[in-house]
Amino acid sequence: MNTNVTLLGTALDPWQPRRVTWDQALHIDQTAQVIFTSYAAVLDNADGLGGRIVDRYQIPSILLNRVCRDSCGFSGYHWSRFVVKQTYDLLRPKASFIKHQAYGPQIHGLETVKHGWRWYEIGFFVHWEPSHTTMLCFDVPESLQGLLQQSLLSNDNRFDHADPYSIFSVLVYNILVLYDKSVWSMRNHICNWETNRPPKANYPLLHEMARHMVHVSETLTVALRSLQGLKVQQEEFAGQHLQQMKSNSNSKSNFHFQLQLLQSLLSRSESNKARLQNEITLMETYMTIKAFNAEAQRDSKVQEKPPTMSLPAGFAGDVVPSDAERAKYTIGWIAPMAIELTPALALLDRITTLHVANDSNIYKAGKIGNHHVVMVTLDKIGLGRIPSVAKGMYDSFRNLNYLLLVGLGGGIPDYAHGEQMVLGDVVVSLQVEHLDCGRRTPNGFEYTRQTYWPSPPLLKAVNTLRSTRSLQGNQIRETLQGLRQKLPRTIRENPEDLGPDADRLFDPDFHHRDDAKLCKNCCDFGRSKSRQERGPKAYREADSPLIHYGTIGSGNSLVVGSKERENLYREFRTICFEMEAAVLMEYQCLVIRGISDYSDSHKNKEWQPYAAATAAAYAQELIMTLPAPVHEESSTSQDRNTVDTTSHVHWTVYRSKNPLFTGRDDTLRELEATVRDAVNGSSYREQCSIVISGMGGQGKSEICLQLAYRVRQIFWGVFWVDVSTTSSAKNDFLNIAKKLSIHAESMEEARQGLANLKEPWLLVLDNADDPDVDYQCYFPAGLLGVVLLTSRNSECHRYASKRELAVGLEGLPESDARELLLHATDIPREQWHKFHDDAQRVATLLQSHPLALIQAGAYISRAHCTLAEYPRVFHRQRTRLLRFGPSQAQSRCRDVYATFEASADLLQLSQAEAAKDALQLLSMLGICAASRLPLRQLFEAGWAGAQRILSRDNSDDDYFFGLSPWHVSYLPPLLQADADAWDPFRLVEAARLLKAFSLVSAGTDNDFLSVSMHPLTNPWALDRLDTAAQHNAWLATGCLVAVSWYDDTVGTFRWELGRQLQPHVRALLSLDMDVMFGSKPQTKVSSIIETCGWLLQEMRDDAKLKDLMDNLLVYLNLDPLTVDARWLSTYELIGLNLIEIGKAQKAVFLLEQVVHIRMQTLAEDNPDRLASQHELAGAYQANGQVEKAIFLLEQVVRIREQTLAEDNPYRLASQHQLAGAYLENEQVEEAILLLELVVQIREQTLAEDNPDRLASQHELARAYQANGQVEKAVFLLEQVVQIKEHTLAENHPYRLSSQHNLAIMFWELGRREDALHLMRHVVGVKRRMLDEDHPSRKDAERRLKIFEKPRLRKIARYK
């Protein structure tokens, strides 16, 4: 017990180390203390120290258990463990293996520091009580003890003794320092190796580096999981002890930062591993070539000029070829792995290593027959790396006509009427299916067909060889024998045919037993078939593989199951599976795969050398079938004039493809088929012209770029012209003429020179956006040419040679949008499934707009926010996010807002009246919502309302309250309010222009023009305006809506228009009051706001109306309880709103003041006075003062019956209200008599779905119910509910009210299940939209309890 330990604490000398005994340490209770010890000191103590420590600090026994101490890492409640591997500047490989020794003085073997590395295995436990905190630290190195002491000293003021995780966060930070040193130490090692590659193979050092890199990555992965666990536990602890913790406790934010730091270190470590793997590949290639050359030198006695292989870059024998030397290579060969490259190298007559400037690939080059072939391998297999390798190859070797992908694959053992495939056979692609395309569903992954084909010349060569082999046999056996002779003796046995005994096909339901062992060492051969058992079609002579032709499936992961293999064959007829071809098919490559396994769990590496050799042998045979290239020195003039349509000569596309491009597969496939059809001349007797249109940022130019790369091999020339301005178009055409050696001094001469070409060409006319330009002048004539034109202007569709060749782009499909977003965020593909829902929310928010998705991904990838946080940040910082420029994929206009603004710039440059009208209409649409707006109905109703206002004797005094000629004067000019008749011409032209630029979508609704905006274009149209412009746009829009609503009648048209305007009115009233009012008279602007408020009231948008009126009272500095006589209509509207939201008592208080003032100033039959009394009666009724309501309403009805026609809506409304009051007062017969009259008139004058008609029918049904005529009531109310469910939203108060009453009637009729089901629905909706104390919600909940009681009793009896 007298073992000394180091103690840090908050006592007299804060956080200074002291050496104390365990007896002292166990009895010290400081506010916070840290004890440094070791597992060995505790467990080796003979006095039961371990047990006392467990009892004193309540340590879980598992913490000191050997299983826990031997584990790599863990975290529990208040305890954790981290493992760190530290490397130093010099690594010395051990001469012999030393067994791991845990928790001894030399961890992981003796003298580890001597060899340049050391393990730290550190454990921690925190014992926490509200009064003090103790941390036990096991096996912490002294250097880390010093760092921890310094951190505690510097953090003491912020240290929260009520939060045990605050001391954890300090400790973890210092452990991260060790991890950081480990990662960067390994980076320095690999950089030193890359800079000073040894002249001789140093395998021990490479192995030592690889071993340490794996260990560092493993420890980082474990630490990441442990820290994630700590973070979750801290959040749980904080939720339970929030009141005790300091307000500035920062352990949560510390953990968040430390997690991000750890993730970045793990990424750096994985990058280190990839770089080292590249060096290992180079070393393997180096040793293979060195052995080959040594073998050649030994055989030189019998050869005049022995073949040699040159060494890879960085070792020796580098060759930097000139442009002329690179131009002679016409065949590209990609072997994904080194084992696939080795037999390919043996096929070349003389091997040279080529190192091209600005290209990271290292090429092997030579000749096969008369063809110059260039080969390359990958640093890792899969879809991610190969596009950059292929692009580098094509950029460095511009004359490549053919591309071969040659290597290993997994085969399907039997297919197509019993055909048998065995190991060592070869599969040649007639087409390739991309197996990563599709979407995940509850039933699994649902594939979407995406098919690619090799180039026609390659398919022609395959068919030629196929027929030749049928007649003459194949040369593969001889090729394999010659290949083995050329390989060094050290590896000569590798590509041998292992024979039928080594080829076993296991049962589909029998899986491999042990991934660390070969099948022959762990699997039951009784569950497999030999070739003989599979039948005669599985028989092969030695070195005589069968060649299979068909579909190859390509994906980013291996097919490792018999069931998946068979499912894919049934769906796509895929007979071979691999991992690289899909992303290479834009180059129309041919895929050749040697079969090394059966695409099941029994992966067979023993067959890989032979399968790689058979694939290479077939590839050589195919190359010998291809026509020999024609070289300038031997070609005749006739040869030079003959167009070789298998390769392109001129390529004036100066943009590379966007690596983030996603989706549009159907569009690209259709366009590619059209272009190929046009070049082949099968159905086109005129020039093929294709037009691609869409709003900015949809990817028009990118689709042309993708298409150009896909079809480049069939064109003699591919040319790109920017026609956004006349000068740019002229420069590009003249540059084309210069490249083609066409003498041209004008654009017309250059265009004509292109038209005169006798070779097939493709011309892209990009950015044809100006509506005042006739782009036909840019089209060269000639049937050999294909023209692609991109435009924001949908009217450019007329340039397409066929209607179906006019392509309009919209947002991406959901699955493609999610993929593009996740790709842009740099989240690893294997983690995408975790972010499916978050990505879907963002994609929906951005309406699947490609450029917006890329911007969002860039914003997230730079750690400005997480994917889950983006929607919230977007709503708060919309403009900043939509102006955020991505670095991954920049369009011509860089960001979403800029690409929209480019369209507006074209309108501003135009002097046409329609362009000016379009800009004003655009600003007004920005004030509205993005949803469909009945544009023509709105403007026509606005013109009619303006005529009524101008025809009346309205005052234009600034203090006159109501709509007046002042409001008419601010209507948009294109309305032409002073015209004698309504003329929609200017409106239609303005909308047409906006539609042409894809700024709006236009359509017809009941033969009336309506428009909607993209959810990104809509906020841009507002955000582009400064404050003054926003006020002017708001004033024009507000006046239009208010004047269109100004009507002396209440009818179906007004109701329909109001329903369609509701979302736009909500948007209109969402701007700041300062923007609305500007410097205009308050009464005039208030009239607009209140007219819109009445629309919300009629649509029962109660919550929005309440917010609006509250803000208006604050802005006008009005008392919410005392009515100001100047603003009577304002308080009247507030009173009505109070009734609807369940504040009837407050409504009575306000409306009594309004009625009192109007009774003093207005005549008895004044409409405004009667309206106020009507509304006060409604407040009385809602407040339970029914007799007062009846007294007041009877006066109003009497006067209106004397002054208004029988079908006048105001008279009918008063009668309806009086009948409702009668019903509340149990005067049922009077109520029925009056309501039947109202219903009869409204059924004759109003449409079936008119809300006033439905309301009176609803009230009549209630009266029938009260009179005991329940069946009659149900019959009527069911019709009402059915109509409301089709016309009103689920949460609309009128719909809920009818459903509520119908449920009660069902109950009375004994239809208990119907009643219960309907009332539960009503309660659920009301709980989502109403406060707990709202009378309507409380009444529905009370009813539901009554309905459920008998049911509950019945269930209880049953149980």
Side-chain angles (χ1 to χ4, degrees):
M1 286 296 296
N2 293 323
T3 304
N4 288 335
V5 297
T6 301
L7 178 70
L8 297 174
T10 56
L12 298 177
D13 196 3
W15 302 118
Q16 294 301 318
R18 288 183 292 158
R19 296 291 291 175
V20 299
T21 66
W22 265 112
D23 278 330
Q24 295 172 318
L26 290 171
H27 292 88
I28 293 176
D29 280 332
Q30 303 185 67
T31 305
Q33 60 188 17
V34 180
I35 299 174
F36 293 107
T37 183
S38 68
Y39 275 119
V42 173
L43 298 179
D44 294 345
N45 188 283
D47 297 331
L49 175 60
R52 292 187 61 189
I53 292 175
V54 167
D55 294 338
R56 172 66 181 84
Y57 297 115
Q58 301 174 16
I59 299 179
S61 59
I62 192 174
L63 182 64
L64 298 180
N65 184 280
R66 181 168 185 83
V67 174
C68 250
R69 290 182 289 111
D70 283 352
S71 66
C72 293
F74 56 77
S75 64
Y77 199 65
H78 297 180
W79 49 283
S80 66
R81 167 181 162 82
F82 292 90
V83 179
V84 183
K85 185 167 192 179
Q86 181 69 61
T87 61
Y88 304 110
D89 291 341
L90 185 62
L91 288 177
R92 293 189 179 92
K94 293 181 181 179
S96 60
F97 171 75
I98 302 175
K99 186 177 181 180
H100 167 78
Q101 298 181 10
Y103 306 106
Q106 292 85 22
I107 298 174
H108 282 276
L110 301 173
E111 299 179 336
T112 59
V113 176
K114 172 182 174 183
H115 292 281
W117 54 273
R118 183 175 181 181
W119 281 99
Y120 298 117
E121 304 178 357
I122 310 166
F124 308 98
F125 177 79
V126 172
H127 172 68
W128 175 82
E129 296 178 8
S131 58
H132 63 269
T133 303
T134 299
M135 170 173 274
L136 299 179
C137 302
F138 297 93
D139 297 314
V140 176
E142 291 184 2
S143 59
L144 187 57
Q145 292 182 26
L147 290 173
L148 180 59
Q149 178 192 356
Q150 294 175 14
S151 298
L152 291 170
L153 281 169
S154 62
N155 285 276
D156 190 48
N157 291 333
R158 299 193 302 274
F159 181 71
D160 186 359
H161 305 299
D163 178 9
Y165 290 93
S166 61
I167 197 168
F168 255 130
S169 66
V170 174
L171 183 67
V172 168
Y173 173 78
N174 289 282
I175 294 176
L176 291 182
V177 173
L178 294 181
Y179 283 124
D180 183 75
K181 289 180 179 179
S182 298
V183 171
W184 286 98
S185 171
M186 294 311 304
R187 181 183 181 277
N188 292 338
H189 282 303
I190 187 62
C191 288
N192 183 59
W193 176 278
E194 290 172 338
T195 305
N196 305 292
R197 291 189 179 105
K200 295 183 179 180
N202 191 341
Y203 276 120
L205 182 56
L206 266 180
H207 174 265
E208 190 74 0
M209 291 167 60
R211 187 166 66 89
H212 292 315
M213 284 185 181
V214 170
H215 287 162
V216 170
S217 289
E218 287 177 345
T219 56
L220 285 168
T221 302
V222 171
L224 188 62
R225 288 198 298 266
S226 298
L227 190 54
Q228 288 169 338
L230 280 175
K231 184 175 182 292
V232 171
Q233 293 152 16
Q234 188 278 335
E235 292 171 351
E236 294 176 354
F237 180 87
Q240 298 170 4
H241 303 86
L242 187 60
Q243 294 182 348
Q244 296 95 328
M245 294 169 63
K246 290 182 180 179
S247 60
N248 64 344
S249 181
N250 55 5
S251 57
K252 179 179 179 180
S253 59
N254 285 345
F255 280 146
H256 181 72
F257 165 76
Q258 290 161 0
L259 274 171
Q260 289 183 317
L261 179 58
L262 202 54
Q263 287 170 338
S264 67
L265 289 175
L266 182 58
S267 297
R268 170 61 66 180
S269 181
E270 292 299 315
S271 175
N272 287 344
K273 286 169 60 179
R275 290 171 64 177
L276 184 62
Q277 181 60 49
N278 185 54
E279 294 302 313
I280 292 172
T281 301
L282 287 174
M283 181 63 73
E284 290 176 348
T285 306
Y286 164 70
M287 294 303 293
T288 299
I289 296 174
K290 184 177 179 183
F292 182 93
N293 287 342
E295 182 79 11
Q297 291 300 323
R298 285 193 293 271
D299 295 340
S300 61
K301 296 178 181 179
V302 295
Q303 297 183 26
E304 294 182 3
K305 187 177 182 182
T308 60
M309 288 187 179
S310 57
L311 303 180
F315 295 100
D318 280 5
V319 174
V320 180
S322 65
D323 291 346
E325 291 171 328
R326 280 185 278 143
K328 66 186 180 183
Y329 292 98
T330 58
I331 298 177
W333 181 314
I334 296 180
M337 296 189 297
I339 196 172
E340 297 163 324
L341 180 64
T342 299
L345 293 176
L347 300 175
L348 301 177
D349 62 345
R350 179 178 178 82
I351 305 168
T352 306
T353 298
L354 304 181
H355 190 69
V356 182
N358 301 318
D359 186 350
S360 60
N361 295 333
I362 299 175
Y363 299 101
K364 302 299 174 190
K367 289 186 70 176
I368 294 178
N370 293 323
H371 296 272
H372 287 83
V373 182
V374 59
M375 299 179 176
V376 70
T377 189
L378 309 180
D379 54 1
K380 61 179 181 180
I381 62 173
L383 301 183
R385 179 73 180 95
I386 201 164
S388 60
V389 171
K391 182 179 184 303
M393 174 181 276
Y394 267 88
D395 288 345
S396 298
F397 301 91
R398 296 300 181 99
N399 285 347
L400 293 181
N401 294 338
Y402 314 101
L403 179 63
L404 306 179
L405 177 63
V406 187
L408 302 172
I412 188 161
D414 57 89
Y415 68 96
H417 309 296
E419 290 295 330
Q420 295 291 313
M421 189 181 298
V422 304
L423 302 184
D425 280 357
V426 177
V427 176
V428 181
S429 68
L430 299 182
Q431 63 185 41
V432 172
E433 287 287 348
H434 192 177
L435 301 181
D436 286 332
C437 298
R439 59 192 180 95
R440 297 199 176 275
T441 69
N443 299 323
F445 192 80
E446 184 177 289
Y447 292 95
T448 300
R449 181 173 291 275
Q450 186 163 325
T451 309
Y452 304 97
W453 294 269
S455 67
L458 282 173
L459 284 177
K460 181 179 179 181
V462 168
N463 290 330
T464 301
L465 180 59
R466 191 174 181 179
S467 60
T468 303
R469 290 166 58 87
S470 300
L471 296 174
Q472 302 175 4
N474 66 74
Q475 305 298 318
I476 287 185
R477 176 181 295 181
E478 291 75 11
T479 303
L480 289 172
Q481 292 173 356
L483 182 150
R484 295 189 187 105
Q485 292 297 321
K486 292 180 69 175
L487 287 173
R489 291 191 180 94
T490 54
I491 60 171
R492 185 171 292 169
E493 293 77 19
N494 281 348
E496 292 287 349
D497 186 344
L498 301 181
D501 293 338
D503 185 356
R504 308 291 300 189
L505 174 61
F506 286 90
D507 295 343
D509 58 346
F510 181 73
H511 303 294
H512 191 67
R513 296 305 190 195
D514 188 342
D515 289 340
K517 297 179 181 179
L518 296 175
C519 288
K520 63 184 179 182
N521 298 326
C522 68
C523 292
D524 181 6
F525 274 38
R527 299 292 303 278
S528 68
K529 292 180 180 179
S530 66
R531 289 187 187 176
Q532 184 177 2
E533 292 170 319
R534 293 169 60 185
K537 288 189 176 182
Y539 172 75
R540 302 287 187 276
E541 293 183 3
D543 284 345
S544 298
L546 191 65
I547 312 301
H548 305 263
Y549 304 89
T551 301
I552 291 181
S554 180
N556 205 26
S557 59
L558 289 171
V559 176
V560 291
S562 305
K563 183 178 180 181
E564 183 180 6
R565 175 191 71 198
E566 300 301 328
N567 288 340
L568 289 171
Y569 172 71
R570 281 193 295 271
E571 185 166 357
F572 299 111
R573 288 294 184 262
T574 44
I575 61 173
C576 175
F577 305 95
E578 53 90 80
M579 296 176 59
E580 292 87 19
V583 292
L584 273 181
M585 294 311 295
E586 65 180 82
Y587 302 101
Q588 297 186 288
C589 72
L590 183 72
V591 186
I592 302 169
R593 292 294 187 179
I595 302 304
S596 60
D597 60 68
Y598 292 118
S599 297
D600 54 14
S601 60
H602 304 276
K603 295 298 175 186
N604 201 329
K605 292 189 176 182
E606 289 181 313
W607 280 90
Q608 287 184 353
Y610 178 69
T614 59
Y618 175 84
Q620 183 198 44
E621 198 171 347
L622 177 75
I623 290 173
M624 302 295 283
T625 307
L626 293 169
V630 179
H631 301 293
E632 286 190 7
E633 59 270 19
S634 61
S635 62
T636 65
S637 59
Q638 183 178 355
D639 293 331
R640 286 194 293 270
N641 290 331
T642 302
V643 179
D644 179 11
T645 58
T646 63
S647 72
H648 58 277
V649 176
H650 296 286
W651 176 260
T652 64
V653 179
Y654 301 109
R655 290 175 52 187
S656 59
K657 291 186 299 181
N658 188 336
L660 298 179
F661 182 82
T662 303
R664 309 292 192 197
D665 302 313
D666 292 341
T667 300
L668 279 169
R669 272 199 300 271
E670 291 173 5
L671 291 177
E672 182 178 358
T674 297
V675 169
R676 292 184 180 279
D677 197 21
V679 172
N680 293 333
S682 60
S683 62
Y684 283 86
R685 296 176 181 171
E686 59 179 347
Q687 186 181 78
C688 176
S689 302
I690 301 170
V691 176
I692 303 174
S693 67
M695 68 187 303
Q698 289 286 11
K700 301 179 293 295
S701 301
E702 190 61 37
I703 284 180
C704 289
L705 196 60
Q706 296 282 338
L707 181 61
Y709 273 92
R710 286 191 178 198
V711 300
R712 64 190 295 182
Q713 298 294 337
I714 66 173
F715 285 106
W716 177 80
V718 178
F719 310 106
W720 196 284
V721 176
D722 179 6
V723 295
S724 58
T725 64
T726 303
S727 59
S728 64
K730 178 180 178 181
N731 289 337
D732 286 348
F733 269 114
L734 290 177
N735 286 336
I736 292 172
K738 183 177 180 181
K739 284 183 176 293
L740 300 180
S741 300
I742 297 172
H743 177 72
E745 297 181 357
S746 66
M747 182 177 66
E748 176 59 30
E749 291 177 346
R751 185 178 69 90
Q752 190 59 43
L754 188 58
N756 292 336
L757 292 174
K758 303 303 181 184
E759 293 86 10
W761 49 263
L762 173 67
L763 173 64
V764 179
L765 301 176
D766 198 19
N767 305 318
D769 302 329
D770 193 334
D772 296 329
V773 174
D774 182 4
Y775 290 100
Q776 192 66 53
C777 66
Y778 295 123
F779 282 65
L783 296 180
L784 292 177
V786 175
V787 179
L788 294 176
L789 182 139
T790 73
S791 177
R792 298 162 186 240
N793 186 349
S794 59
E795 294 185 355
C796 284
H797 284 182
R798 66 178 184 271
Y799 297 120
S801 53
K802 292 183 179 181
R803 179 178 297 179
E804 58 268 24
L805 299 185
V807 180
L809 296 183
E810 296 180 352
L812 293 170
E814 284 186 359
S815 57
D816 291 339
R818 288 195 305 271
E819 181 179 349
L820 175 59
L821 173 63
L822 291 168
H823 196 177
T825 60
D826 288 337
I827 295 173
R829 182 179 289 270
E830 59 271 15
Q831 298 180 21
W832 283 7
H833 66 281
K834 301 177 183 178
F835 299 93
H836 177 279
D837 293 342
D838 292 335
Q840 183 60 56
R841 280 189 284 271
V842 175
T844 301
L845 174 70
L846 300 178
Q847 290 290 294
S848 301
H849 187 280
L851 182 55
L853 291 169
I854 291 173
Q855 284 182 236
Y859 194 84
I860 293 165
S861 70
R862 297 189 194 178
H864 292 298
C865 69
T866 65
L867 192 59
E869 295 168 343
Y870 188 88
R872 177 173 53 82
V873 176
F874 180 87
H875 289 300
R876 193 176 65 246
Q877 300 287 349
R878 179 185 68 209
T879 304
R880 183 177 70 189
L881 265 61
L882 293 179
R883 292 192 187 280
F884 184 81
S887 59
Q888 307 103 308
Q890 295 188 7
S891 73
R892 177 170 63 103
C893 297
R894 183 171 174 80
D895 63 67
V896 172
Y897 270 15
T899 195
F900 297 158
E901 196 63 42
S903 298
D905 289 343
L906 290 170
L907 290 174
Q908 288 172 334
L909 291 174
S910 176
Q911 300 300 314
E913 181 183 62
K916 296 177 182 178
D917 287 343
L919 284 171
Q920 184 179 36
L921 181 59
L922 178 66
S923 65
M924 295 175 66
L925 293 175
I927 299 294
C928 299
S931 58
R932 187 180 61 83
L933 175 68
L935 193 65
R936 180 164 173 176
Q937 284 179 279
L938 174 62
F939 272 73
E940 187 170 353
W943 180 87
Q947 306 314 303
R948 285 190 290 272
I949 292 172
L950 294 174
S951 66
R952 297 179 62 165
D953 185 17
N954 289 314
S955 172
D956 248 348
D957 190 295
D958 286 349
Y959 297 99
F960 176 78
F961 206 92
L963 299 180
S964 67
W966 183 92
H967 297 92
V968 175
S969 69
Y970 280 97
L971 292 172
L974 61 90
L975 180 74
Q976 304 175 83
D978 56 350
D980 295 334
W982 161 244
D983 184 0
F985 177 79
R986 288 178 62 178
L987 175 66
V988 172
E989 284 299 296
R992 182 192 63 78
L993 261 184
L994 294 180
K995 180 179 182 293
F997 283 104
S998 299
L999 295 175
V1000 302
S1001 297
T1004 56
D1005 187 8
N1006 296 325
D1007 296 327
F1008 284 100
L1009 172 67
S1010 63
V1011 298
S1012 60
M1013 298 188 78
H1014 191 281
L1016 299 180
T1017 315
N1018 177 248
W1020 159 78
L1022 176 63
D1023 294 341
R1024 67 185 297 268
L1025 306 175
D1026 59 26
T1027 302
Q1030 284 187 6
H1031 168 70
N1032 292 333
W1034 184 91
L1035 194 59
T1037 310
C1039 286
L1040 176 61
V1041 171
V1043 170
S1044 70
W1045 194 245
Y1046 181 80
D1047 196 346
D1048 292 327
T1049 62
V1050 180
T1052 301
F1053 172 77
R1054 177 181 165 111
W1055 163 256
E1056 283 299 326
L1057 181 61
R1059 188 168 61 177
Q1060 295 178 62
L1061 289 181
Q1062 184 179 355
H1064 305 285
V1065 171
R1066 288 177 64 91
L1068 176 74
L1069 299 175
S1070 297
L1071 271 66
D1072 292 339
M1073 287 287 173
D1074 288 332
V1075 174
M1076 297 185 196
F1077 280 89
S1079 59
K1080 301 299 186 294
Q1082 289 185 342
T1083 55
K1084 301 300 184 184
V1085 177
S1086 294
S1087 297
I1088 300 171
I1089 295 173
E1090 287 177 21
T1091 302
C1092 294
W1094 282 104
L1095 186 150
L1096 295 178
Q1097 168 66 22
E1098 192 155 335
M1099 297 299 113
R1100 288 300 308 275
D1101 199 344
D1102 302 327
K1104 178 63 179 177
L1105 179 58
K1106 183 181 185 305
D1107 291 342
L1108 172 69
M1109 301 315 292
D1110 287 346
N1111 293 334
L1112 184 61
L1113 288 178
V1114 171
Y1115 185 83
L1116 297 175
N1117 197 26
L1118 296 176
D1119 189 334
L1121 298 178
T1122 304
V1123 174
D1124 187 322
R1126 296 175 302 165
W1127 303 90
L1128 288 179
S1129 60
T1130 303
Y1131 286 98
E1132 193 172 38
L1133 183 55
I1134 292 172
L1136 279 178
N1137 181 242
L1138 288 171
I1139 296 172
E1140 302 297 357
I1141 65 174
K1143 309 291 184 182
Q1145 190 173 358
K1146 290 183 178 180
V1148 168
F1149 182 73
L1150 281 183
L1151 291 174
E1152 282 182 335
Q1153 297 178 60
V1154 172
V1155 168
H1156 177 72
I1157 295 172
R1158 284 192 163 155
M1159 288 178 68
Q1160 291 179 333
T1161 57
L1162 300 176
E1164 184 182 48
D1165 60 350
N1166 184 278
D1168 290 338
R1169 171 174 168 169
L1170 292 172
S1172 300
Q1173 292 171 323
H1174 177 110
E1175 288 145 10
L1176 176 57
Y1180 282 147
Q1181 186 176 347
N1183 198 40
Q1185 300 169 270
V1186 182
E1187 293 182 356
K1188 277 191 172 183
I1190 291 174
F1191 176 78
L1192 198 54
L1193 281 170
E1194 285 179 337
Q1195 296 181 49
V1196 173
V1197 168
R1198 176 178 55 80
I1199 295 172
R1200 284 183 168 172
E1201 285 179 347
Q1202 293 172 356
T1203 58
L1204 300 177
E1206 184 182 49
D1207 61 350
N1208 184 279
Y1210 296 112
R1211 172 175 170 172
L1212 291 171
S1214 299
Q1215 291 170 329
H1216 174 105
Q1217 187 79 17
L1218 177 58
Y1222 282 152
L1223 194 57
E1224 294 292 328
N1225 203 39
E1226 299 182 355
Q1227 297 173 251
V1228 179
E1229 293 181 0
E1230 292 90 334
I1232 291 176
L1233 186 64
L1234 195 53
L1235 282 170
E1236 285 182 335
L1237 174 64
V1238 172
V1239 168
Q1240 180 183 0
I1241 296 173
R1242 284 181 167 171
E1243 285 181 348
Q1244 293 173 352
T1245 58
L1246 300 178
E1248 184 182 52
D1249 60 349
N1250 182 276
D1252 292 334
R1253 171 175 168 172
L1254 292 171
S1256 58
Q1257 290 170 328
H1258 170 108
E1259 203 67 12
L1260 179 56
R1262 287 186 61 230
Y1264 286 149
Q1265 178 195 14
N1267 201 39
Q1269 301 168 271
V1270 183
E1271 292 184 358
K1272 194 173 184 180
V1274 168
F1275 177 78
L1276 183 58
L1277 196 55
E1278 278 187 317
Q1279 297 179 49
V1280 172
V1281 168
Q1282 184 179 6
I1283 295 171
K1284 287 183 176 181
E1285 286 178 346
H1286 281 88
T1287 58
L1288 300 179
E1290 182 185 54
N1291 61 354
H1292 196 287
Y1294 292 160
R1295 172 174 168 176
L1296 289 171
S1297 176
S1298 296
Q1299 290 171 327
H1300 177 108
N1301 284 287
L1302 182 58
I1304 295 172
M1305 294 178 191
F1306 281 156
W1307 186 265
E1308 292 182 9
L1309 274 182
R1311 295 169 58 178
R1312 302 298 171 90
E1313 290 297 328
D1314 292 339
L1316 190 60
H1317 174 76
L1318 189 55
M1319 190 58 76
R1320 281 175 174 167
H1321 169 76
V1322 171
V1323 169
V1325 176
K1326 288 187 174 182
R1327 281 175 175 169
R1328 292 196 300 268
M1329 60 175 290
L1330 299 178
D1331 296 333
E1332 289 184 7
D1333 59 346
H1334 194 287
S1336 177
R1337 172 176 169 177
K1338 291 169 68 176
D1339 182 45
E1341 290 174 334
R1342 180 180 62 83
R1343 290 280 184 179
L1344 181 59
K1345 285 183 180 179
I1346 294 172
F1347 290 179
E1348 289 180 333
K1349 280 182 181 179
R1351 183 181 178 87
L1352 293 175
R1353 286 197 295 268
K1354 183 178 179 181
I1355 293 172
R1357 286 198 303 271
Y1358 176 77
K1359 289 183 177 180

